[in-house]
């Protein structure tokens, strides 16, 4: 397996996972990974619903870090574990997210857009009164809004996350339809010396491509982007490192001969 570091993982410290962290680690060791980075969810102000009570996606960092350090020491001779967090972006949350990020010494921070103007595009209500294309465009524009006001992150997660859940999902979707706003996003990320991830969860959900799609990864490289991490977005052991062989091919197709990992917020580059 050319990619041996999974840099987007969740355990029971994330509201939408019930898998103990140790189970995730043991599966990673079994798969031959050399590094795993836990990136537990932290989304301030996620909308309250019947299935998502208040604070459902808010992390308890003290409990999380306590267990993480315990397992980091226990499995130190078998795998390198890195401490991460996935912060949910909304422009008005920039100060709260910045304070949260600074409160602990994370190795790695993913900025992700799970909400667009207060709504989760995973739910049909997001598309009421608008076409799928309009919804997708609004989502991309919201990422650009976030980038204008927030910088304490290392990579922006699953840039086209929205296509996992639209009425037609990725049917008919292409980078070219949203070229102007996506190029603006990529140029801004590069100018900030930040990176992107290739997230394989979309493939696991039956999409034709990873998130973001190959054309966006290629464009990122063309524009001078260098920092790129790989994550399965697994919430259970069976998803860890899923489709990583395919991602290695995508990276090479797009002109990359390496992928990145992070320690203490500093990128390292690993040849494929």
């Amino acid at each position: 397996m050319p990619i041996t570091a999974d840099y987007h993982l969740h355990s029971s410290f994330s509201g939408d996972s019930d898998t103990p962290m140790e189970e995730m680690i043991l599966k990673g060791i079994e798969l031959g990974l050399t590094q795993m980075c836990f990136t537990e969810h932290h989304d301030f102000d996620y909308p309250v619903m019947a299935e998502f009570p208040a604070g459902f996606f808010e992390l308890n960092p003290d409990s999380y870090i306590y267990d993480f350090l315990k397992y980091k020491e226990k499995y130190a001779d078998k795998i390198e574990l890195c401490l991460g967090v996935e912060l949910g972006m909304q422009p008005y949350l920039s100060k709260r997210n910045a304070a949260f990020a600074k409160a602990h010494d994370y190795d790695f921070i993913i900025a992700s857009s799970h909400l667009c103007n207060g709504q989760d595009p995973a739910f049909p209500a997001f598309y009421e009164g608008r076409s799928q294309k309009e919804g997708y465009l609004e989502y991309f524009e919201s990422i650009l809004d976030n980038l204008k006001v927030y910088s304490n992150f290392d990579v922006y997660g699953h840039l086209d996350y929205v296509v996992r859940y639209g009425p037609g999902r990725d049917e008919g979707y292409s980078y070219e339809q949203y070229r102007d706003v996506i190029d603006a996003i990529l140029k801004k990320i590069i100018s900030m010396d930040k990176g992107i991830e290739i997230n394989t969860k979309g493939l696991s959900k039956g999409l034709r491509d990873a998130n973001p799609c190959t054309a966006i990864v290629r464009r990122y490289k063309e524009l001078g982007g260098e920092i790129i991490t790989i994550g399965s977005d697994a919430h259970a052991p069976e998803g860890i490192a899923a489709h990583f062989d395919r991602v290695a091919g995508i990276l090479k197709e797009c002109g990359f001969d390496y992928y990145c990992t992070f320690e203490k917020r500093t990128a390292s580059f690993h040849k494929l």
Side-chain angles (χ1 to χ4, degrees):
M1 184 165 63
I3 298 168
T4 61
D6 193 333
Y7 260 63
H8 193 141
L9 293 165
H10 299 279
S11 73
S12 56
F13 288 101
S14 291
D16 54 355
S17 172
D18 58 5
T19 304
M21 183 182 286
E22 190 168 23
E23 286 188 24
M24 299 291 283
I25 295 167
L26 291 171
K27 184 62 175 181
I29 294 169
E30 178 187 328
L31 290 169
L33 294 182
T34 58
Q35 292 188 45
M36 299 174 74
C37 186
F38 286 91
T39 54
E40 307 293 0
H41 285 298
H42 187 76
D43 279 68
F44 284 118
D45 291 357
Y46 189 88
V48 175
M49 308 178 203
E51 63 269 46
F52 302 131
F56 186 81
F57 285 111
E58 293 184 22
L59 177 64
N60 180 333
D62 293 330
S63 295
Y64 166 44
I65 293 171
Y66 177 85
D67 269 19
F68 172 85
L69 292 175
K70 176 175 64 177
Y71 294 127
K72 182 178 177 68
E73 181 179 0
K74 181 176 180 178
Y75 295 104
D77 62 338
K78 294 181 172 64
I79 195 165
E80 182 179 353
L81 300 178
C82 295
L83 181 71
V85 66
E86 182 180 14
L87 293 179
M89 295 289 105
Q90 293 191 80
Y92 76 94
L93 293 175
S94 59
K95 289 183 179 179
R96 291 175 71 187
N97 276 331
F100 185 91
K102 290 177 182 177
H104 298 283
D105 293 327
Y106 295 103
D107 290 305
F108 181 60
I109 297 177
I110 300 174
S112 289
S113 291
H114 300 122
L115 298 172
C116 173
N117 298 320
Q119 287 185 286
D120 191 333
F123 295 95
F126 179 75
Y127 299 94
E128 291 178 3
R130 77 186 86 187
S131 68
Q132 176 172 284
K133 187 172 182 179
E134 289 170 335
Y136 286 8
L137 179 60
E138 183 177 333
Y139 178 82
F140 288 126
E141 289 173 339
S142 75
I143 292 178
L144 195 55
D145 290 340
N146 286 317
L147 290 169
K148 291 174 181 176
V149 297
Y150 191 79
S151 61
N152 191 3
F153 68 95
D154 300 303
V155 304
Y156 215 100
H158 44 53
L159 279 176
D160 57 6
Y161 162 90
V162 69
V163 307
R164 290 186 192 172
Y165 304 107
R169 305 227 290 170
D170 62 347
E171 186 66 32
Y173 159 74
S174 68
Y175 150 74
E176 287 75 17
Q177 292 173 297
Y178 308 93
R179 177 189 297 269
D180 289 348
V181 66
I182 292 174
D183 278 6
I185 290 168
L186 296 176
K187 289 175 183 177
K188 180 64 173 174
I189 287 171
I190 292 166
S191 75
M192 298 166 73
D193 293 323
K194 308 299 183 182
I196 65 171
E197 71 162 356
I198 298 182
N199 185 300
T200 65
K201 188 67 169 287
L203 291 169
S204 296
K205 286 181 170 290
L207 298 185
R208 295 169 299 165
D209 211 340
N211 300 119
C213 65
T214 300
I216 293 177
V217 177
R218 182 182 298 111
R219 184 61 173 152
Y220 173 67
K221 180 65 171 174
E222 289 171 352
L223 291 169
E226 297 290 345
I227 298 169
I228 193 158
T229 60
I230 315 303
S232 65
D233 207 346
H235 290 61
E238 58 268 22
I240 296 171
H243 310 286
F244 274 24
D245 287 344
R246 179 169 172 179
V247 170
I250 290 171
L251 284 170
K252 291 176 180 177
E253 178 186 339
C254 294
F256 290 91
D257 57 9
Y258 59 84
Y259 65 95
C260 294
T261 60
F262 277 80
E263 184 177 0
K264 297 181 179 177
R265 309 295 302 282
T266 300
S268 295
F269 294 78
H270 306 268
K271 291 187 72 70
L272 291 166

